[in-house]
Amino acid sequence: DASIERAMDALRKISKKLRDKKVAQVRCIATEACRRAENGPAFIQRVRDETGLTFKIIGPEEEARLALIGCHNLIEPNTDRGLVSDIGGGATELSYVNARPAHEGGLKGLLNKPPILGWRSLPVGVVTLTEAFAHLPEDKAYPEMLAHVMAHIEKWKHTPDIRTAFEEGRAHVIGTSGTVTCLTGVSLGLQNYRRDRVDGAWMSEAEMMSTVQDLRAAGEKGMHKFPTIGPDRAGLMLAGCAIVEGTWSLAPGGRMRVADRGLREGLLLSM
């Protein structure tokens, strides 16, 4: 499979760089793609045999914990609750967080006991959702994608509590993913991606949904013209927009703090 060979080529290069730099401590993790794939364990073994890198397939709860740790200092001090949304290629991890202990205990407290009130791994990511509705034209695919995401969200037992917290103004979203940072770059009108402008930025529901509508109107052929998207991401952005819109239904009228950080930073901090 071509995608596997591309991944192997990238991992060989990474392994060589680690050896060249004489890196002593390495932790490698795999997430939803390997959790779902029938040949996930076999792929991990091949990676170890051919590159020397030992990957551990982590569960969705650990993935949610690491994403929260990576974004911990973006939680507003005067917030009671937080919703961390991490959109991946194969899944979207949602964490409902008690924000008070996150502030009071600091990073050390988060590492010892992350105050996650509930988490949910939605089996929808930008790649899997794109593939699932690739047979439909864009104008018909989007509402089907959105309905699919919403169906999973409505099954989460914490959904009513989260919506209440947002309706009462006691919560905000932390959005971490390439989809969210790309959308934020478009909303800010950036001609080149700038992490210093995107990371930590606030996005209102109206601003984000307006950007989603602009991208839907542009379509895949027009999306690549936005500087912070480009041709590599354009094919996945429609699905990303559907996931953003669907997950925002948990946060009526709420604001999102954008994070150009997440799982990898959580992994580093936990080490």
Side-chain angles (χ1 to χ4, degrees):
D1 184 279
S3 60
I4 291 179
E5 294 309 317
R6 285 196 298 271
M8 289 301 304
D9 183 55
L11 289 167
R12 290 187 193 99
K13 292 176 181 176
I14 290 169
S15 180
K16 182 179 184 302
K17 288 182 179 181
L18 292 170
R19 290 195 303 272
D20 291 346
K21 297 292 184 180
K22 296 180 173 59
V23 177
Q25 185 182 5
V26 180
R27 185 182 175 197
C28 307
I29 60 171
T31 56
E32 181 68 7
C34 283
R35 287 198 294 264
R36 294 183 62 178
E38 292 180 2
N39 63 341
F43 174 69
I44 296 299
Q45 185 61 50
R46 180 184 172 188
V47 170
R48 183 175 182 177
D49 292 342
E50 296 185 21
T51 71
L53 298 173
T54 301
F55 277 78
K56 177 184 178 183
I57 301 176
I58 63 171
E61 186 172 9
E62 173 67 1
E63 188 174 349
R65 184 184 80 89
L66 291 172
L68 169 61
I69 291 168
C71 300
H72 73 281
N73 57 354
L74 292 180
I75 302 175
E76 274 289 278
N78 297 322
T79 299
D80 287 333
R81 298 285 186 266
L83 176 66
V84 180
S85 173
D86 183 8
I87 302 171
T92 297
E93 310 300 335
L94 300 175
S95 302
Y96 182 39
V97 179
N98 186 346
R100 295 297 179 186
H103 288 297
E104 294 166 3
L107 177 59
K108 185 176 180 180
L110 277 175
L111 291 171
N112 289 334
K113 188 179 180 181
I116 297 177
L117 300 172
W119 60 273
R120 176 82 171 178
S121 181
L122 305 181
V124 287
V126 292
V127 175
T128 51
L129 198 61
T130 298
E131 291 175 347
F133 294 93
H135 61 289
L136 295 175
E138 289 180 17
D139 60 333
K140 297 186 184 302
Y142 189 85
E144 292 290 334
M145 289 179 178
L146 181 58
H148 187 67
V149 174
M150 290 293 297
H152 286 289
I153 287 173
E154 296 302 333
K155 294 176 184 176
W156 191 17
K157 67 179 181 180
H158 292 287
T159 290
D161 293 338
I162 296 171
R163 285 181 176 150
T164 297
F166 275 92
E167 287 167 353
E168 295 175 353
R170 298 187 291 110
H172 75 80
V173 182
I174 292 178
T176 169
S177 69
T179 295
V180 169
T181 56
C182 282
L183 284 167
T184 303
V186 172
S187 180
L188 294 174
L190 299 182
Q191 293 307 303
N192 294 289
Y193 185 79
R194 289 181 53 184
R195 186 179 187 276
D196 63 312
R197 292 283 307 278
V198 172
D199 186 57
W202 285 99
M203 291 286 289
S204 69
E205 182 177 16
E207 288 170 331
M208 189 63 88
M209 291 308 111
S210 175
T211 305
V212 166
Q213 291 305 315
D214 288 344
L215 293 188
R216 286 190 62 192
E220 184 180 337
K221 291 182 179 178
M223 285 183 195
H224 75 275
K225 296 178 182 178
F226 290 93
T228 61
I229 295 177
D232 292 339
R233 285 190 177 271
L236 302 175
M237 285 304 297
L238 194 67
C241 288
I243 296 172
V244 167
E245 184 171 352
T247 53
W248 211 302
S249 72
L250 288 162
R255 296 190 303 160
M256 174 186 284
R257 193 87 185 268
V258 179
D260 185 350
R261 61 182 84 178
L263 192 61
R264 282 171 298 204
E265 286 76 11
L267 190 63
L268 285 166
L269 290 169
S270 70
M271 293 169 69

